[in-house]
C-alpha cells in the first residue's frame, strides 16, 4: 500500500503546520491547504519533505483554497483527488479569530458571519464532501486503513469568552458537528474525532501573548506552559495510526489540563 494520504486545511502556518509535520514524520503524504499565504505553504512543504522518514514513498503538495466558499472547497478537493487519487485522513484545522475582540453587546453581525463561514460552515461542508467521496469509493479501497476525520475545535467550544462570542459559538458548533458525523459515518467504517487545543503559541495568539503569559504563570493550566503545534500534531498522528479503533465522536483535550475543574 502507498503511504497514507492526509488533507490538512490551514496547514501553511501554526497548528496546521505542526500537524502536517507530525504526519510527515510518521510517513504520511500530506496535502497542505492554505488560504493566501503561498510562501508559508511552500515552507511547510519543504519542512515536510525534510521530516519524512528516509526511503518513505510519501509526497507533499500545496493546495490553495478558501474553505469558507463552495467554489474554494470544490477546487481544493478536486485538485487533491487529482493529485493523490485518495484521502485517508481529513484534518479540519483552518480557522480564524475575530479581527477585533469586542464585547458581546457590541460585536457585529459581519464578524459573526465571517467566523461562522470560515470556522464552522467551511469544515461542515468540506466534511460532507469528503464523506461522500469516501462512500462512493470505499469498496475499491477496502485494503486501506479506516478513513478518519479530525476536527480542531478549541477550549472555546465550552469556555465563555465574552469578548469573542462569535469565535466561541463557531467552535461549539464544531463539537456538535463531530457528534453528528461520527453518528452518521460509524456504520460506514469512518472514524470522526475532535481535538480541543488550549492555548497554543501561533500567529493567532501572538496579539494576546502577554495576557496569556501572565495567566499561565498564575496557574491557568495545570501544566504550566504554552502549548506548541507539535502537541496537537502528536495527537493527530495517534488517531491517524488507528490507535483508537473502537472510538468515534471522541474529544481529546490538548490543553495542559485546562479543562479540569479545580477547587
Ligand atoms: P494561525 O496560525 O492563524 O493559522 C491559520 C491557518 O488557517 C493558516 O494556515 C491560514 O492560511 C488558514 N486559513 C485561514 N482562513 C482560511 C480559509 N478561509 N481557508 C483555508 N485556510 C484558511 O492559526 P492557529 O493558531 O494555527 O489555529 C489553527 C486552528 O486551531 C484554528 O481553527 C483555531 O481556531 C484553532 N485553535 C487555535 C488555538 C491557539 O491557541 N492558537 C487554540 C485552540 C484552537 P494562510 O496562511 O494562507 O492565511
Amino acid at each position: 500500500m502507498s503511504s497514507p494520504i492526509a488533507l490538512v486545511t490551514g496547514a501553511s502556518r501554526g497548528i496546521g503546520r505542526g500537524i502536517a509535520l507530525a504526519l510527515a514524520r510518521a510517513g504520511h503524504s500530506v496535502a497542505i491547504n492554505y488560504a493566501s499565504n503561498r510562501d508559508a505553504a511552500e515552507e511547510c512543504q519543504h519542512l515536510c519533505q525534510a521530516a519524512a522518514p528516509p526511503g518513505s514513498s510519501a509526497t507533499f503538495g500545496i493546495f490553495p483554497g478558501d474553505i469558507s466558499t463552495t467554489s474554494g472547497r470544490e477546487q481544493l478537493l478536486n485538485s487533491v483527488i487529482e493529485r493523490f487519487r485518495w484521502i485517508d485522513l481529513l484534518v479540519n484545522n483552518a480557522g480564524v479569530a475575530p479581527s477585533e475582540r469586542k464585547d458581546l453587546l457590541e460585536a457585529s453581525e459581519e464578524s459573526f458571519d465571517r467566523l461562522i463561514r470560515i470556522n464552522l460552515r467551511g469544515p461542515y461542508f468540506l466534511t460532507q464532501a469528503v464523506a461522500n467521496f469516501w462512500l462512493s469509493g470505499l469498496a475499491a479501497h477496502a485494503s486501506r486503513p479506516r478513513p478518519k476525520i479530525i476536527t480542531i475545535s478549541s477550549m472555546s467550544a465550552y469556555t465563555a469568552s465574552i469578548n469573542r462570542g462569535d469565535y466561541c459559538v463557531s467552535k461549539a458548533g464544531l463539537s456538535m458537528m463531530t457528534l453528528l458525523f461520527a453518528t452518521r459515518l460509524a456504520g460506514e467504517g469512518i472514524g470522526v474525532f475532535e481535538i480541543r487545543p488550549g492555548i497554543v503559541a501561533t500567529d493567532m495568539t501572538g496579539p494576546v501573548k502577554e495576557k496569556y503569559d501572565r495567566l499561565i504563570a498564575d496557574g491557568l493550566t495545570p501544566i504550566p506552559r504554552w502549548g506548541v503545534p507539535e502537541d496537537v500534531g502528536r495527537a493527530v498522528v495517534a488517531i491517524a495510526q488507528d490507535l483508537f479503533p473502537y472510538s468515534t465522536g471522541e474529544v481529546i483535550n490538548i490543553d495542559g489540563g485546562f479543562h479540569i475543574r479545580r477547587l
Side-chain angles (χ1 to χ4, degrees), residues 177-210:
M177 177 186 119
T178 297
L179 298 177
L180 290 167
F181 280 104
T183 306
R184 176 63 182 83
L185 298 175
E188 312 287 353
I190 297 168
V192 183
F193 298 83
E194 174 184 348
I195 291 181
R196 276 186 199 154
I199 301 169
V200 183
T202 67
D203 292 344
M204 185 180 279
T205 45
V208 283
K209 181 175 181 314
E210 281 76 29

PDB file of all heavy atoms in Angstrom, residues 177-210:
ATOM      1  N   MET A 177     -20.895  19.169  15.355  1.00  0.00           N
ATOM      2  CA  MET A 177     -20.589  18.609  14.031  1.00  0.00           C
ATOM      3  C   MET A 177     -19.886  17.259  14.163  1.00  0.00           C
ATOM      4  O   MET A 177     -20.191  16.302  13.457  1.00  0.00           O
ATOM      5  CB  MET A 177     -19.694  19.601  13.278  1.00  0.00           C
ATOM      6  CG  MET A 177     -19.246  19.119  11.926  1.00  0.00           C
ATOM      7  SD  MET A 177     -18.057  20.284  11.200  1.00  0.00           S
ATOM      8  CE  MET A 177     -16.626  19.231  11.049  1.00  0.00           C
ATOM      9  N   THR A 178     -18.962  17.169  15.111  1.00  0.00           N
ATOM     10  CA  THR A 178     -18.228  15.910  15.313  1.00  0.00           C
ATOM     11  C   THR A 178     -19.189  14.792  15.720  1.00  0.00           C
ATOM     12  O   THR A 178     -19.130  13.679  15.191  1.00  0.00           O
ATOM     13  CB  THR A 178     -17.142  16.114  16.400  1.00  0.00           C
ATOM     14  OG1 THR A 178     -16.220  17.087  15.918  1.00  0.00           O
ATOM     15  CG2 THR A 178     -16.411  14.818  16.704  1.00  0.00           C
ATOM     16  N   LEU A 179     -20.094  15.108  16.646  1.00  0.00           N
ATOM     17  CA  LEU A 179     -21.046  14.075  17.086  1.00  0.00           C
ATOM     18  C   LEU A 179     -21.956  13.644  15.936  1.00  0.00           C
ATOM     19  O   LEU A 179     -22.265  12.455  15.785  1.00  0.00           O
ATOM     20  CB  LEU A 179     -21.891  14.615  18.253  1.00  0.00           C
ATOM     21  CG  LEU A 179     -21.099  14.977  19.521  1.00  0.00           C
ATOM     22  CD1 LEU A 179     -22.036  15.555  20.577  1.00  0.00           C
ATOM     23  CD2 LEU A 179     -20.379  13.742  20.067  1.00  0.00           C
ATOM     24  N   LEU A 180     -22.388  14.610  15.143  1.00  0.00           N
ATOM     25  CA  LEU A 180     -23.297  14.283  14.031  1.00  0.00           C
ATOM     26  C   LEU A 180     -22.612  13.375  13.006  1.00  0.00           C
ATOM     27  O   LEU A 180     -23.140  12.316  12.649  1.00  0.00           O
ATOM     28  CB  LEU A 180     -23.761  15.580  13.348  1.00  0.00           C
ATOM     29  CG  LEU A 180     -24.720  16.452  14.170  1.00  0.00           C
ATOM     30  CD1 LEU A 180     -24.851  17.834  13.552  1.00  0.00           C
ATOM     31  CD2 LEU A 180     -26.089  15.780  14.276  1.00  0.00           C
ATOM     32  N   PHE A 181     -21.431  13.801  12.549  1.00  0.00           N
ATOM     33  CA  PHE A 181     -20.761  12.987  11.525  1.00  0.00           C
ATOM     34  C   PHE A 181     -20.284  11.653  12.099  1.00  0.00           C
ATOM     35  O   PHE A 181     -20.279  10.638  11.406  1.00  0.00           O
ATOM     36  CB  PHE A 181     -19.616  13.767  10.868  1.00  0.00           C
ATOM     37  CG  PHE A 181     -20.104  14.728   9.802  1.00  0.00           C
ATOM     38  CD1 PHE A 181     -20.161  16.091  10.047  1.00  0.00           C
ATOM     39  CD2 PHE A 181     -20.539  14.271   8.572  1.00  0.00           C
ATOM     40  CE1 PHE A 181     -20.622  16.979   9.076  1.00  0.00           C
ATOM     41  CE2 PHE A 181     -20.998  15.145   7.587  1.00  0.00           C
ATOM     42  CZ  PHE A 181     -21.048  16.508   7.840  1.00  0.00           C
ATOM     43  N   ALA A 182     -19.896  11.649  13.375  1.00  0.00           N
ATOM     44  CA  ALA A 182     -19.477  10.373  13.990  1.00  0.00           C
ATOM     45  C   ALA A 182     -20.638   9.382  13.961  1.00  0.00           C
ATOM     46  O   ALA A 182     -20.464   8.197  13.639  1.00  0.00           O
ATOM     47  CB  ALA A 182     -19.013  10.606  15.423  1.00  0.00           C
ATOM     48  N   THR A 183     -21.832   9.874  14.285  1.00  0.00           N
ATOM     49  CA  THR A 183     -23.006   9.002  14.316  1.00  0.00           C
ATOM     50  C   THR A 183     -23.360   8.518  12.913  1.00  0.00           C
ATOM     51  O   THR A 183     -23.595   7.329  12.683  1.00  0.00           O
ATOM     52  CB  THR A 183     -24.205   9.781  14.911  1.00  0.00           C
ATOM     53  OG1 THR A 183     -23.804  10.314  16.174  1.00  0.00           O
ATOM     54  CG2 THR A 183     -25.403   8.884  15.102  1.00  0.00           C
ATOM     55  N   ARG A 184     -23.369   9.449  11.975  1.00  0.00           N
ATOM     56  CA  ARG A 184     -23.781   9.103  10.600  1.00  0.00           C
ATOM     57  C   ARG A 184     -22.793   8.167   9.919  1.00  0.00           C
ATOM     58  O   ARG A 184     -23.190   7.304   9.124  1.00  0.00           O
ATOM     59  CB  ARG A 184     -23.920  10.408   9.787  1.00  0.00           C
ATOM     60  CG  ARG A 184     -24.240  10.221   8.317  1.00  0.00           C
ATOM     61  CD  ARG A 184     -25.591   9.558   8.098  1.00  0.00           C
ATOM     62  NE  ARG A 184     -25.882   9.344   6.690  1.00  0.00           N
ATOM     63  CZ  ARG A 184     -25.452   8.307   5.974  1.00  0.00           C
ATOM     64  NH1 ARG A 184     -24.710   7.368   6.538  1.00  0.00           N
ATOM     65  NH2 ARG A 184     -25.774   8.197   4.695  1.00  0.00           N
ATOM     66  N   LEU A 185     -21.504   8.313  10.231  1.00  0.00           N
ATOM     67  CA  LEU A 185     -20.484   7.600   9.449  1.00  0.00           C
ATOM     68  C   LEU A 185     -19.928   6.356  10.129  1.00  0.00           C
ATOM     69  O   LEU A 185     -19.147   5.621   9.526  1.00  0.00           O
ATOM     70  CB  LEU A 185     -19.332   8.572   9.098  1.00  0.00           C
ATOM     71  CG  LEU A 185     -19.750   9.765   8.221  1.00  0.00           C
ATOM     72  CD1 LEU A 185     -18.578  10.726   8.027  1.00  0.00           C
ATOM     73  CD2 LEU A 185     -20.267   9.291   6.857  1.00  0.00           C
ATOM     74  N   ALA A 186     -20.329   6.110  11.387  1.00  0.00           N
ATOM     75  CA  ALA A 186     -19.766   4.951  12.104  1.00  0.00           C
ATOM     76  C   ALA A 186     -20.059   3.658  11.358  1.00  0.00           C
ATOM     77  O   ALA A 186     -19.177   2.801  11.187  1.00  0.00           O
ATOM     78  CB  ALA A 186     -20.324   4.891  13.524  1.00  0.00           C
ATOM     79  N   GLY A 187     -21.293   3.518  10.889  1.00  0.00           N
ATOM     80  CA  GLY A 187     -21.678   2.289  10.188  1.00  0.00           C
ATOM     81  C   GLY A 187     -20.959   2.123   8.864  1.00  0.00           C
ATOM     82  O   GLY A 187     -20.938   1.020   8.293  1.00  0.00           O
ATOM     83  N   GLU A 188     -20.390   3.192   8.362  1.00  0.00           N
ATOM     84  CA  GLU A 188     -19.639   3.130   7.099  1.00  0.00           C
ATOM     85  C   GLU A 188     -18.166   2.849   7.357  1.00  0.00           C
ATOM     86  O   GLU A 188     -17.355   2.843   6.436  1.00  0.00           O
ATOM     87  CB  GLU A 188     -19.752   4.475   6.340  1.00  0.00           C
ATOM     88  CG  GLU A 188     -21.147   5.043   6.219  1.00  0.00           C
ATOM     89  CD  GLU A 188     -22.013   4.263   5.208  1.00  0.00           C
ATOM     90  OE1 GLU A 188     -21.474   3.383   4.534  1.00  0.00           O
ATOM     91  OE2 GLU A 188     -23.219   4.560   5.141  1.00  0.00           O
ATOM     92  N   GLY A 189     -17.803   2.691   8.634  1.00  0.00           N
ATOM     93  CA  GLY A 189     -16.407   2.389   8.957  1.00  0.00           C
ATOM     94  C   GLY A 189     -15.513   3.617   8.964  1.00  0.00           C
ATOM     95  O   GLY A 189     -14.293   3.517   8.790  1.00  0.00           O
ATOM     96  N   ILE A 190     -16.111   4.789   9.168  1.00  0.00           N
ATOM     97  CA  ILE A 190     -15.326   6.038   9.155  1.00  0.00           C
ATOM     98  C   ILE A 190     -15.293   6.606  10.578  1.00  0.00           C
ATOM     99  O   ILE A 190     -16.342   6.784  11.197  1.00  0.00           O
ATOM    100  CB  ILE A 190     -15.951   7.060   8.178  1.00  0.00           C
ATOM    101  CG1 ILE A 190     -15.898   6.494   6.748  1.00  0.00           C
ATOM    102  CG2 ILE A 190     -15.243   8.415   8.259  1.00  0.00           C
ATOM    103  CD1 ILE A 190     -16.737   7.265   5.741  1.00  0.00           C
ATOM    104  N   GLY A 191     -14.113   6.882  11.090  1.00  0.00           N
ATOM    105  CA  GLY A 191     -13.954   7.407  12.445  1.00  0.00           C
ATOM    106  C   GLY A 191     -13.918   8.929  12.440  1.00  0.00           C
ATOM    107  O   GLY A 191     -13.316   9.539  11.556  1.00  0.00           O
ATOM    108  N   VAL A 192     -14.567   9.531  13.435  1.00  0.00           N
ATOM    109  CA  VAL A 192     -14.658  11.000  13.492  1.00  0.00           C
ATOM    110  C   VAL A 192     -14.246  11.469  14.887  1.00  0.00           C
ATOM    111  O   VAL A 192     -14.786  10.986  15.890  1.00  0.00           O
ATOM    112  CB  VAL A 192     -16.092  11.466  13.167  1.00  0.00           C
ATOM    113  CG1 VAL A 192     -16.174  12.988  13.148  1.00  0.00           C
ATOM    114  CG2 VAL A 192     -16.551  10.908  11.820  1.00  0.00           C
ATOM    115  N   PHE A 193     -13.313  12.382  14.949  1.00  0.00           N
ATOM    116  CA  PHE A 193     -12.720  12.804  16.227  1.00  0.00           C
ATOM    117  C   PHE A 193     -12.633  14.325  16.304  1.00  0.00           C
ATOM    118  O   PHE A 193     -12.543  15.003  15.290  1.00  0.00           O
ATOM    119  CB  PHE A 193     -11.305  12.228  16.376  1.00  0.00           C
ATOM    120  CG  PHE A 193     -11.274  10.723  16.391  1.00  0.00           C
ATOM    121  CD1 PHE A 193     -11.276   9.999  15.201  1.00  0.00           C
ATOM    122  CD2 PHE A 193     -11.282  10.040  17.593  1.00  0.00           C
ATOM    123  CE1 PHE A 193     -11.275   8.609  15.222  1.00  0.00           C
ATOM    124  CE2 PHE A 193     -11.274   8.645  17.623  1.00  0.00           C
ATOM    125  CZ  PHE A 193     -11.268   7.932  16.428  1.00  0.00           C
ATOM    126  N   GLU A 194     -12.600  14.818  17.555  1.00  0.00           N
ATOM    127  CA  GLU A 194     -12.415  16.261  17.792  1.00  0.00           C
ATOM    128  C   GLU A 194     -11.185  16.433  18.673  1.00  0.00           C
ATOM    129  O   GLU A 194     -11.040  15.745  19.686  1.00  0.00           O
ATOM    130  CB  GLU A 194     -13.657  16.813  18.505  1.00  0.00           C
ATOM    131  CG  GLU A 194     -13.515  18.264  18.925  1.00  0.00           C
ATOM    132  CD  GLU A 194     -14.739  18.761  19.724  1.00  0.00           C
ATOM    133  OE1 GLU A 194     -15.770  18.062  19.761  1.00  0.00           O
ATOM    134  OE2 GLU A 194     -14.626  19.842  20.317  1.00  0.00           O
ATOM    135  N   ILE A 195     -10.328  17.367  18.300  1.00  0.00           N
ATOM    136  CA  ILE A 195      -9.215  17.735  19.182  1.00  0.00           C
ATOM    137  C   ILE A 195      -9.458  19.164  19.645  1.00  0.00           C
ATOM    138  O   ILE A 195      -9.718  20.057  18.830  1.00  0.00           O
ATOM    139  CB  ILE A 195      -7.862  17.598  18.448  1.00  0.00           C
ATOM    140  CG1 ILE A 195      -7.577  16.117  18.199  1.00  0.00           C
ATOM    141  CG2 ILE A 195      -6.739  18.245  19.262  1.00  0.00           C
ATOM    142  CD1 ILE A 195      -6.256  15.841  17.504  1.00  0.00           C
ATOM    143  N   ARG A 196      -9.408  19.348  20.975  1.00  0.00           N
ATOM    144  CA  ARG A 196      -9.641  20.672  21.554  1.00  0.00           C
ATOM    145  C   ARG A 196      -8.353  21.246  22.100  1.00  0.00           C
ATOM    146  O   ARG A 196      -7.978  20.972  23.251  1.00  0.00           O
ATOM    147  CB  ARG A 196     -10.628  20.572  22.722  1.00  0.00           C
ATOM    148  CG  ARG A 196     -12.045  20.590  22.308  1.00  0.00           C
ATOM    149  CD  ARG A 196     -12.968  20.630  23.508  1.00  0.00           C
ATOM    150  NE  ARG A 196     -14.290  20.197  23.051  1.00  0.00           N
ATOM    151  CZ  ARG A 196     -15.206  19.648  23.824  1.00  0.00           C
ATOM    152  NH1 ARG A 196     -14.966  19.448  25.115  1.00  0.00           N
ATOM    153  NH2 ARG A 196     -16.355  19.297  23.331  1.00  0.00           N
ATOM    154  N   PRO A 197      -7.650  22.072  21.309  1.00  0.00           N
ATOM    155  CA  PRO A 197      -6.441  22.686  21.848  1.00  0.00           C
ATOM    156  C   PRO A 197      -6.787  23.748  22.886  1.00  0.00           C
ATOM    157  O   PRO A 197      -7.874  24.330  22.886  1.00  0.00           O
ATOM    158  CB  PRO A 197      -5.782  23.331  20.632  1.00  0.00           C
ATOM    159  CG  PRO A 197      -6.484  22.790  19.436  1.00  0.00           C
ATOM    160  CD  PRO A 197      -7.865  22.431  19.895  1.00  0.00           C
ATOM    161  N   GLY A 198      -5.809  23.995  23.758  1.00  0.00           N
ATOM    162  CA  GLY A 198      -5.936  25.088  24.725  1.00  0.00           C
ATOM    163  C   GLY A 198      -5.233  26.307  24.170  1.00  0.00           C
ATOM    164  O   GLY A 198      -5.580  26.795  23.094  1.00  0.00           O
ATOM    165  N   ILE A 199      -4.225  26.784  24.890  1.00  0.00           N
ATOM    166  CA  ILE A 199      -3.512  27.993  24.460  1.00  0.00           C
ATOM    167  C   ILE A 199      -2.220  27.569  23.766  1.00  0.00           C
ATOM    168  O   ILE A 199      -1.318  27.019  24.403  1.00  0.00           O
ATOM    169  CB  ILE A 199      -3.196  28.874  25.679  1.00  0.00           C
ATOM    170  CG1 ILE A 199      -4.505  29.252  26.378  1.00  0.00           C
ATOM    171  CG2 ILE A 199      -2.430  30.114  25.267  1.00  0.00           C
ATOM    172  CD1 ILE A 199      -4.306  29.881  27.729  1.00  0.00           C
ATOM    173  N   VAL A 200      -2.177  27.800  22.459  1.00  0.00           N
ATOM    174  CA  VAL A 200      -1.063  27.306  21.650  1.00  0.00           C
ATOM    175  C   VAL A 200      -0.358  28.496  21.004  1.00  0.00           C
ATOM    176  O   VAL A 200      -1.021  29.399  20.459  1.00  0.00           O
ATOM    177  CB  VAL A 200      -1.568  26.325  20.567  1.00  0.00           C
ATOM    178  CG1 VAL A 200      -0.402  25.760  19.771  1.00  0.00           C
ATOM    179  CG2 VAL A 200      -2.386  25.195  21.201  1.00  0.00           C
ATOM    180  N   ALA A 201       0.961  28.485  21.043  1.00  0.00           N
ATOM    181  CA  ALA A 201       1.747  29.601  20.503  1.00  0.00           C
ATOM    182  C   ALA A 201       1.736  29.571  18.974  1.00  0.00           C
ATOM    183  O   ALA A 201       2.359  28.710  18.354  1.00  0.00           O
ATOM    184  CB  ALA A 201       3.182  29.506  21.027  1.00  0.00           C
ATOM    185  N   THR A 202       0.983  30.488  18.373  1.00  0.00           N
ATOM    186  CA  THR A 202       0.928  30.624  16.909  1.00  0.00           C
ATOM    187  C   THR A 202       0.691  32.103  16.584  1.00  0.00           C
ATOM    188  O   THR A 202       0.535  32.923  17.492  1.00  0.00           O
ATOM    189  CB  THR A 202      -0.277  29.832  16.314  1.00  0.00           C
ATOM    190  OG1 THR A 202      -1.488  30.455  16.760  1.00  0.00           O
ATOM    191  CG2 THR A 202      -0.263  28.371  16.713  1.00  0.00           C
ATOM    192  N   ASP A 203       0.590  32.396  15.285  1.00  0.00           N
ATOM    193  CA  ASP A 203       0.266  33.782  14.896  1.00  0.00           C
ATOM    194  C   ASP A 203      -1.051  34.223  15.519  1.00  0.00           C
ATOM    195  O   ASP A 203      -1.241  35.393  15.855  1.00  0.00           O
ATOM    196  CB  ASP A 203       0.138  33.893  13.371  1.00  0.00           C
ATOM    197  CG  ASP A 203       1.469  33.683  12.670  1.00  0.00           C
ATOM    198  OD1 ASP A 203       2.515  33.757  13.352  1.00  0.00           O
ATOM    199  OD2 ASP A 203       1.464  33.433  11.441  1.00  0.00           O
ATOM    200  N   MET A 204      -2.000  33.270  15.659  1.00  0.00           N
ATOM    201  CA  MET A 204      -3.329  33.639  16.168  1.00  0.00           C
ATOM    202  C   MET A 204      -3.269  34.194  17.585  1.00  0.00           C
ATOM    203  O   MET A 204      -3.991  35.117  17.934  1.00  0.00           O
ATOM    204  CB  MET A 204      -4.260  32.418  16.132  1.00  0.00           C
ATOM    205  CG  MET A 204      -5.686  32.724  16.532  1.00  0.00           C
ATOM    206  SD  MET A 204      -6.766  31.286  16.493  1.00  0.00           S
ATOM    207  CE  MET A 204      -7.168  31.175  14.768  1.00  0.00           C
ATOM    208  N   THR A 205      -2.396  33.611  18.405  1.00  0.00           N
ATOM    209  CA  THR A 205      -2.331  34.043  19.800  1.00  0.00           C
ATOM    210  C   THR A 205      -1.249  35.104  20.031  1.00  0.00           C
ATOM    211  O   THR A 205      -1.129  35.618  21.147  1.00  0.00           O
ATOM    212  CB  THR A 205      -2.069  32.828  20.726  1.00  0.00           C
ATOM    213  OG1 THR A 205      -1.031  32.040  20.145  1.00  0.00           O
ATOM    214  CG2 THR A 205      -3.310  31.986  20.912  1.00  0.00           C
ATOM    215  N   GLY A 206      -0.497  35.452  18.962  1.00  0.00           N
ATOM    216  CA  GLY A 206       0.564  36.467  19.088  1.00  0.00           C
ATOM    217  C   GLY A 206       0.069  37.754  19.727  1.00  0.00           C
ATOM    218  O   GLY A 206       0.697  38.289  20.669  1.00  0.00           O
ATOM    219  N   PRO A 207      -1.073  38.298  19.272  1.00  0.00           N
ATOM    220  CA  PRO A 207      -1.527  39.591  19.812  1.00  0.00           C
ATOM    221  C   PRO A 207      -1.902  39.543  21.298  1.00  0.00           C
ATOM    222  O   PRO A 207      -2.035  40.596  21.913  1.00  0.00           O
ATOM    223  CB  PRO A 207      -2.771  39.902  18.959  1.00  0.00           C
ATOM    224  CG  PRO A 207      -2.640  39.074  17.727  1.00  0.00           C
ATOM    225  CD  PRO A 207      -1.883  37.858  18.128  1.00  0.00           C
ATOM    226  N   VAL A 208      -2.123  38.352  21.859  1.00  0.00           N
ATOM    227  CA  VAL A 208      -2.523  38.291  23.276  1.00  0.00           C
ATOM    228  C   VAL A 208      -1.477  37.546  24.117  1.00  0.00           C
ATOM    229  O   VAL A 208      -1.780  37.023  25.189  1.00  0.00           O
ATOM    230  CB  VAL A 208      -3.911  37.620  23.434  1.00  0.00           C
ATOM    231  CG1 VAL A 208      -5.031  38.582  23.062  1.00  0.00           C
ATOM    232  CG2 VAL A 208      -4.029  36.360  22.597  1.00  0.00           C
ATOM    233  N   LYS A 209      -0.239  37.567  23.626  1.00  0.00           N
ATOM    234  CA  LYS A 209       0.812  36.777  24.274  1.00  0.00           C
ATOM    235  C   LYS A 209       1.033  37.185  25.738  1.00  0.00           C
ATOM    236  O   LYS A 209       1.068  36.332  26.627  1.00  0.00           O
ATOM    237  CB  LYS A 209       2.131  36.906  23.488  1.00  0.00           C
ATOM    238  CG  LYS A 209       3.247  36.082  24.099  1.00  0.00           C
ATOM    239  CD  LYS A 209       4.501  36.107  23.270  1.00  0.00           C
ATOM    240  CE  LYS A 209       5.602  35.256  23.875  1.00  0.00           C
ATOM    241  NZ  LYS A 209       5.828  35.406  25.297  1.00  0.00           N
ATOM    242  N   GLU A 210       1.149  38.491  25.980  1.00  0.00           N
ATOM    243  CA  GLU A 210       1.454  38.924  27.362  1.00  0.00           C
ATOM    244  C   GLU A 210       0.339  38.504  28.319  1.00  0.00           C
ATOM    245  O   GLU A 210       0.597  38.038  29.424  1.00  0.00           O
ATOM    246  CB  GLU A 210       1.642  40.452  27.445  1.00  0.00           C
ATOM    247  CG  GLU A 210       3.012  40.924  26.974  1.00  0.00           C
ATOM    248  CD  GLU A 210       3.143  40.918  25.468  1.00  0.00           C
ATOM    249  OE1 GLU A 210       2.106  41.095  24.780  1.00  0.00           O
ATOM    250  OE2 GLU A 210       4.260  40.712  24.949  1.00  0.00           O
TER     251      GLU A 210
END
